[in-house]
Amino acid sequence: MSISLIKIMIKQILRFRWLLIFVLLLLTFPFGYKIQDLTKDAGVSSLVPEDHPAYKTSNRVEKLFGATDQIVIGVNAPKGIYSVEAMNLINELTEFLEDQDDLDADDVISLTNVTDMKGEEGELIIEDLVGKGFFKEPTEEALNLIKEKVRSNPLFNGKLVSLDEKSAVVLAGVPTDVGLKEELIGGLKEDVLQKIEQLRNKYPGITLDFSGPAMLKAYISEYMQQDLKTLFPLAIVVVALIILIVLRSISGTLVPIMVTLFAVTWTFGLKAILSSPITIVETAIPVVLIAIGCADGIHIISEFLVLRRNGHSPEEATEKTMKLLTLPVVLTSVTTGLGFLSLLSAPGVSIRNMGVFLAFGVFIAMIYSLYFIPSIMSFFKGKNPVNRPQVSDSGISGRHGAFESRVSTIASKVIKYRVFVVSTALAVFALSVLGILNITVESDEVRYLKPGNEFRMATESIQKNLGGITSLDIIVETEKKNGIKQPALLSRIEGLQRFCEEFELVSYSLSIVDLIKRINFVLHESNPQYDRLPRETEVIKRVRYQKTDGKE
């Protein structure tokens, strides 16, 4: 940018300063208004490339098999889960979840609504594990029968009920359209929490652990909102105090802060306009923009105040300041913006978006620094500069203030002990490199929460007693119709399950193989020799669903 162009720009700014201020403020209002439509994405899928096989598989699993995010509630009964009190609690909680408008009743699974199977003379009979009649007249005999059924069924034992029989789990799949809408998932979370609190008061001897991937997203979304409400104002206060200490001017402090507020408003407003939700990493955007967006404004205001102390009028000080700093402001903003745009090389969508929107925010901060700040500065009257210390137009005072004096002393010490300073810096650098080599990667979203967080403790309890809340989904596909039922393929699926179970992090595996083995077992009168896959393709001639009241 040539000197002549800068001079022309400055003259035009001073000439149309009222209009510039009005237009810049006016343009900000639409962006500020749209911020209310901004949504949040608390999941980690945005950190994964859209073309990554795992991302595609996750979407495909959800499309083929429905809800993959779940509400997971652990029921812990110190005296044992097979009691009337515990069974009533599980049933009441199950019915509550089945009645929720945002949930599909078929996606709710618990000890009191699952079905069991048995074989009679070649017939496969499907019946309720716990019939509704049990809750009308519960007996010790009925409880013992339920206990024996669960113990003998590998589909239930260690999965719906813990091996020590003191805990049980209630699961509820959350539809994708509900999980993606902040107001729906948030409302569902509050309703379930309220019901859990009622059950805790009604059954004081039993504890309930509330967790699940769907609820984790709801909590993270809530914490993201809290962070934005807390960190953003806190960052503004901290930066404002530092500027005030350095510049010793209230008006000089407010103007750079206003520039950063404009930049944040435009950035989040644009995200709302483009329907781009705020992700976990993007909650840092306001804080980053405050730190970076203030820099140019501080330089401009500082130089302006120096010139005012030297006796220049507001217009003259503004003109001299902008002649000196316009090009540096443009260059620093462009290089910073390009640095953020380098994040476009990152694999995850959210990180790429963060780079783009931060670059946009830096550009807006530059525009306001070049046009809004000088327009405002030209109106600064301030105090009579006659009795102020004389300062050269280069910004160096003949009589240093307290701050300048301390900085000068530090600089002198650094020069005097430069060998020690450089050696210390190199030592710190070496330690930093060593630290980088030992960095561990943590992808567990639950660990985003503090160790004492109630949700984290509940999740860790479920992981300890009931196998955890996270699943690894593997799709097995064939090109032939009903090819998935071929014994050879089923045998390979079983081998895949045994392979997965060798890993320490896998508590158990479940597939169609387990169901077929169970059918084969019960159709052969529970003969242990048939607790395996059939050796040839067979057809079950009749399946009968029998309710516990005897009706079919």
Side-chain angles (χ1 to χ4, degrees):
M1 186 178 291
S2 66
I3 300 299
S4 58
L5 285 176
I6 293 175
K7 288 181 178 180
I8 294 172
M9 184 187 79
I10 296 169
K11 290 186 180 297
Q12 294 302 315
I13 289 174
L14 294 176
R15 181 181 178 184
F16 298 105
R17 52 190 178 179
W18 278 112
L19 180 61
L20 271 173
I21 294 172
F22 175 75
V23 170
L24 291 172
L25 290 175
L26 184 64
L27 290 175
T28 304
F29 278 108
F31 289 90
Y33 179 77
K34 286 297 293 182
I35 288 178
Q36 63 183 336
D37 299 329
L38 197 59
T39 58
K40 293 186 287 293
D41 180 1
V44 295
S45 60
S46 60
L47 299 173
V48 182
E50 292 178 326
D51 59 349
H52 194 281
Y55 185 89
K56 292 181 178 179
T57 301
S58 177
N59 290 339
R60 183 160 173 74
V61 168
E62 201 163 296
K63 182 179 179 181
L64 291 174
F65 302 105
T68 55
D69 282 346
Q70 291 182 320
I71 296 172
V72 181
I73 303 174
V75 181
N76 307 301
K79 296 180 181 180
I81 207 70
Y82 298 112
S83 67
V84 175
E85 184 182 42
M87 297 297 286
N88 279 331
L89 185 152
I90 294 172
N91 184 58
E92 191 173 337
L93 180 59
T94 301
E95 290 182 342
F96 169 80
L97 293 172
E98 288 175 335
D99 290 339
Q100 295 303 298
D101 294 334
D102 293 329
L103 299 177
D104 189 336
D106 292 336
D107 289 331
V108 178
I109 302 172
S110 79
L111 188 63
T112 60
N113 75 347
V114 293
T115 55
D116 194 15
M117 63 180 77
K118 65 180 181 180
E120 287 184 1
E121 299 179 354
E123 283 187 341
L124 181 66
I125 300 174
I126 308 297
E127 60 184 5
D128 294 330
L129 176 67
V130 181
K132 297 302 178 184
F134 168 83
F135 299 102
K136 296 178 181 178
E137 297 181 10
T139 63
E140 192 68 27
E141 182 181 357
L143 276 173
N144 289 332
L145 180 60
I146 294 169
K147 183 192 302 184
E148 290 305 316
K149 285 183 177 180
V150 173
R151 284 178 176 177
S152 63
N153 193 333
L155 299 177
F156 304 148
N157 195 29
K159 298 176 178 65
L160 284 180
V161 179
S162 63
L163 293 176
D164 65 3
E165 298 180 345
K166 292 183 178 181
S167 302
V169 68
V170 179
L171 307 172
V174 178
T176 304
D177 58 340
V178 174
L180 291 176
K181 294 180 180 178
E182 184 182 344
E183 66 279 4
L184 292 182
I185 193 68
L188 180 61
K189 176 179 77 71
E190 293 304 318
D191 290 343
V192 176
L193 279 175
Q194 185 176 359
K195 181 62 179 180
I196 286 176
E197 192 60 32
Q198 292 176 359
L199 293 173
R200 283 170 176 164
N201 294 330
K202 186 175 180 179
Y203 303 96
I206 301 174
T207 60
L208 294 169
D209 294 322
F210 179 56
S211 184
M215 294 300 98
L216 177 58
K217 288 182 180 179
Y219 272 103
I220 291 178
S221 178
E222 191 176 289
Y223 295 144
M224 286 168 61
Q225 183 72 22
Q226 292 177 8
D227 286 346
L228 288 171
K229 289 181 178 180
T230 304
L231 296 179
F232 184 38
L234 181 61
I236 291 176
V237 171
V238 171
V239 171
L241 287 174
I242 293 173
I243 298 174
L244 184 61
I245 292 170
V246 174
L247 298 182
R248 288 168 292 171
S249 169
I250 294 177
S251 55
T253 299
L254 293 177
V255 174
I257 293 297
M258 288 176 65
V259 168
T260 60
L261 293 177
F262 288 134
V264 172
T265 301
W266 278 66
T267 302
F268 275 2
L270 182 64
K271 283 185 69 67
I273 291 170
L274 298 178
S275 299
S276 173
I278 300 177
T279 58
I280 296 173
V281 296
E282 289 177 297
T283 54
I285 285 179
V287 178
V288 174
L289 283 180
I290 289 169
I292 294 174
C294 274
D296 291 334
I298 293 171
H299 288 307
I300 293 172
I301 293 293
S302 178
E303 185 66 23
F304 173 82
L305 293 176
V306 167
L307 292 169
R308 283 288 290 132
R309 289 178 189 139
N310 204 25
H312 293 282
S313 67
E315 291 81 2
E316 291 174 341
T318 300
E319 187 172 345
K320 286 180 176 291
T321 298
M322 298 313 296
K323 284 180 181 178
L324 182 65
L325 295 179
T326 294
L327 186 58
V329 166
V330 172
L331 291 177
T332 54
S333 298
V334 169
T335 53
T336 302
L338 290 175
F340 285 130
L341 287 177
S342 67
L343 292 176
L344 286 171
S345 61
V349 174
S350 63
I351 298 178
R352 293 202 302 267
N353 284 351
M354 183 177 181
V356 171
F357 286 106
L358 276 174
F360 175 77
V362 169
F363 173 76
I364 295 301
M366 180 190 74
I367 295 299
Y368 276 83
S369 295
L370 294 176
Y371 291 95
F372 182 78
I373 291 181
S375 298
I376 293 291
M377 286 192 313
S378 64
F379 291 104
F380 278 14
K381 297 301 179 183
K383 296 179 180 179
N384 190 347
V386 174
N387 296 324
R388 298 293 181 92
Q390 289 296 303
V391 182
S392 68
D393 287 355
S394 64
I396 302 175
S397 173
R399 288 168 55 193
H400 295 296
F403 178 78
E404 291 85 352
S405 179
R406 291 190 183 95
V407 171
S408 179
T409 301
I410 294 171
S412 299
K413 295 292 185 183
V414 169
I415 295 172
K416 183 178 180 180
Y417 300 105
R418 56 186 177 273
V419 175
F420 173 76
V421 171
V422 172
S423 300
T424 304
L426 290 175
V428 172
F429 174 74
L431 289 173
S432 300
V433 172
L434 184 63
I436 290 173
L437 296 175
N438 288 279
I439 285 178
T440 57
V441 178
E442 178 58 73
S443 59
D444 186 357
E445 295 168 271
V446 176
R447 295 187 179 273
Y448 293 170
L449 310 177
K450 294 179 180 179
N453 180 273
E454 184 179 356
F455 185 87
R456 178 169 172 173
M457 290 191 296
T459 303
E460 290 172 347
S461 174
I462 292 173
Q463 288 174 337
K464 179 181 177 181
N465 299 319
L466 295 159
I469 66 170
T470 307
S471 64
L472 170 65
D473 302 311
I474 301 174
I475 300 179
V476 179
E477 295 181 286
T478 67
E479 296 180 355
K480 297 180 181 179
K481 184 178 180 180
N482 293 323
I484 199 71
K485 301 175 185 177
Q486 296 301 313
L489 180 58
L490 291 171
S491 179
R492 292 192 176 190
I493 293 175
E494 185 177 25
L496 177 60
Q497 287 184 251
R498 301 294 86 80
F499 171 78
C500 291
E501 288 171 353
E502 291 178 1
F503 291 92
E504 183 180 354
L505 293 177
V506 177
S507 54
Y508 65 85
S509 65
L510 195 63
S511 76
I512 188 176
V513 169
D514 300 280
L515 184 61
I516 293 175
K517 286 173 64 176
R518 185 65 183 172
I519 292 173
N520 192 44
F521 176 73
V522 299
L523 282 177
H524 289 86
E525 299 178 356
S526 300
N527 187 335
Q529 294 181 354
Y530 290 93
D531 189 13
R532 55 167 174 77
L533 286 168
R535 293 194 174 95
E536 59 184 31
T537 304
E538 297 175 342
V539 177
I540 299 173
K541 294 182 179 179
R542 187 179 180 198
V543 177
R544 176 155 52 98
Y545 179 75
Q546 180 174 291
K547 296 185 178 180
T548 50
D549 58 6
K551 296 181 180 179
E552 294 186 16

